[in-house]
Amino acid sequence: MTPVVFLFKLLIGVPVALVLALTAIWYIWESDNVVLYDSFAQKMFSGLENYGLLAIPLFMLTGEMMNEGGMTRRLINAARVFVGGFRGGLAYINLLANMFMAAIIGSATAQIAVMARAMTPEMEKEGYDTGFAAATTAAGGLLAPVIPPSMMFVIFGVLAQVPIGDMFLAGILPGLLLSGAFAAVICAIGMVAEFPKGNWFTRREAASALLYSLPAALIPVAIIGGILLGIATPTESAAIASLIAFVIGWLIYGELKPATLFTMFRRTAVNASMIIFMIAAANVFGWVIIYEALPQKLAALITSVTSDPFVFLLIVNVILLFVGMLIDGIAAVILISPILLPIAMNDYDISPYQFGVVMCLNLVLGLLTPPVGVGLYIASSMSGVTPGRILKSLWPFLLAVAIILVVLSRFPWFTTWLE
């Protein structure tokens, strides 16, 4: 009966955090193991006793301060210096700016919202198809969960009990690979559609754009550099990044006003609390998984089909694709990791880093695919382009992601090169 209750709540649109908590309560009652009620709250709280979870609100706060401080516009100008003069230059600028943003924000939905508002109108002015402009921006948002820092990596690292810094490093090569695939898609479409030729900055303009973007570039350097050099943990890097974003936005660019801090703190607290509550609820949902021995039962089923790790990952990719279409990516990571990760590690000897990168990239595809497609609707809302028109131009990018997922599933070294 418990699986029926779980699926029913999901289908009627109950928030995932409540689905997890209420399913655990139902299971305790149904199994007559009511002594577990006494430790229910304690179990929820213990799910939050992880230092790494502090990185979530801190990265969110960094993104808020960056948006308020005018850093997005300056990073776009910096991207223009490197690729602005190519044919279809603005499409490459969009991609490169998304890479810069991914190294700061760590959230696909936030990145799509910011970049759709900034880049789609600019591309329309220069004669690009509006559907393609919005699709390129939406696809660029898929870099956020792979290029470090990534909130999905933070959550997966906590659930998998692996170092979050190592998870970040595991995402570097896949992030570059995905960026290269998107650049190839833009190039191929550009040959057919004959994109407008861009204009290179003069030396003086290029120097000015790079100079003004240097302070903003300190943020990803502080995050990644601190972790790579062992100077700071991911959580400490997130705190340093938020401080740098505040100082730059306030004292250097002069666009971030201290009076707006309370609004940003409140918005960050509200958004972060949703994720944190899901993690707490997932901890009590673990009772259902443990007592029902779901990983063991699923492992027996899958191992009877194949013993090849690559085939297993292909099966998992298909499952995750359907899950991602129906459930938010972060919620799906919280829900799926405790079930599939033990099978991947124990039965197929798959590295948690490889599994984590493949899972996070796959699940975030759901942001841009119906029927839920939250990222698709955000891009539509911010750009004024219908979801159907965006989706029509988006499929080559989605195909590129699918190919990269197969590559990452087949070649573990893309994610385990630092192990």
Side-chain angles (χ1 to χ4, degrees), residues 9-356:
K9 288 171 190 165
L10 273 181
L11 291 173
I12 64 173
V14 176
V16 174
L18 290 178
V19 171
L20 297 175
L22 293 173
T23 301
I25 291 171
W26 176 275
Y27 182 79
I28 293 168
W29 175 78
E30 189 180 48
S31 64
D32 203 28
N33 200 358
V34 291
V35 70
L36 292 177
Y37 284 133
D38 296 336
S39 55
F40 191 89
Q42 193 175 22
K43 186 74 172 173
M44 286 191 78
F45 184 77
S46 68
L48 306 180
E49 290 184 310
N50 190 300
Y51 174 68
L53 289 176
L54 275 174
I56 293 173
L58 288 169
F59 281 130
M60 284 183 167
L61 182 61
T62 302
E64 291 279 353
M65 289 182 172
M66 198 190 80
N67 295 338
E68 290 285 335
M71 292 169 228
T72 306
R73 186 175 66 257
R74 289 168 174 86
L75 287 174
I76 291 172
N77 274 339
R80 191 181 290 271
V81 172
F82 297 106
V83 293
F86 294 125
R87 180 170 293 281
L90 205 51
Y92 292 111
I93 289 167
N94 194 341
L95 175 61
L96 193 56
N98 266 295
M99 289 178 68
F100 291 156
M101 295 288 286
I104 297 171
I105 293 182
S107 165
T109 50
Q111 184 169 317
I112 290 170
V114 171
M115 295 302 292
R117 196 164 51 235
M119 288 302 303
T120 308
E122 290 297 316
M123 291 182 71
E124 285 181 56
K125 283 179 194 173
E126 291 202 14
Y128 290 84
D129 176 73
T130 51
F132 174 77
T136 305
T137 309
L142 298 181
L143 296 171
V146 185
I147 293 178
S150 161
M151 278 191 286
M152 288 180 82
F153 281 178
V154 172
I155 294 165
F156 178 81
V158 169
L159 294 172
Q161 297 183 345
V162 296
I164 294 168
D166 290 350
M167 267 310 301
F168 283 177
L169 298 179
I172 293 176
L173 285 183
L176 294 174
L177 197 63
L178 188 60
S179 302
F182 285 168
V185 168
I186 292 170
C187 180
I189 295 173
M191 289 179 183
V192 177
E194 294 187 356
F195 288 153
K197 194 174 186 311
N199 296 311
W200 291 108
F201 275 163
T202 64
R203 286 188 179 181
R204 187 172 181 178
E205 288 171 336
S208 175
L210 290 175
L211 185 64
Y212 279 111
S213 70
L214 276 179
L218 282 175
I219 298 172
V221 169
I223 295 170
I224 307 302
I227 295 168
L228 277 175
L229 297 174
I231 298 170
T233 66
T235 304
E236 290 163 350
S237 294
I240 293 166
S242 61
L243 178 61
I244 292 172
F246 172 68
V247 171
I248 291 171
W250 178 34
L251 298 179
I252 297 179
Y253 294 151
E255 296 185 28
L256 180 59
K257 307 301 178 188
T260 62
L261 278 177
F262 178 75
T263 304
M264 286 188 287
F265 288 154
R266 183 176 60 187
R267 197 158 51 225
T268 300
V270 169
N271 292 334
S273 64
M274 297 176 190
I275 298 171
I276 298 297
F277 182 58
M278 271 198 288
I279 294 170
N283 210 44
V284 292
F285 183 73
W287 279 336
V288 180
I289 294 171
I290 291 167
Y291 285 109
E292 285 296 301
L294 286 179
Q296 292 88 333
K297 292 175 182 176
L298 195 57
L301 176 64
I302 296 176
T303 50
S304 68
V305 175
T306 181
S307 59
D308 188 333
F310 176 53
V311 176
F312 166 75
L313 281 176
L314 291 181
I315 293 170
V316 167
N317 273 313
V318 173
I319 294 170
L320 292 178
L321 188 60
F322 284 108
V323 170
M325 287 180 179
L326 301 172
I327 306 175
D328 173 73
I330 288 175
V333 167
I334 293 168
L335 189 63
I336 298 295
S337 295
I339 299 172
L340 290 180
L341 182 61
I343 302 172
M345 292 177 64
N346 300 330
D347 294 277
Y348 292 95
D349 198 28
I350 294 171
S351 163
Y353 302 107
Q354 181 189 13
F355 188 81

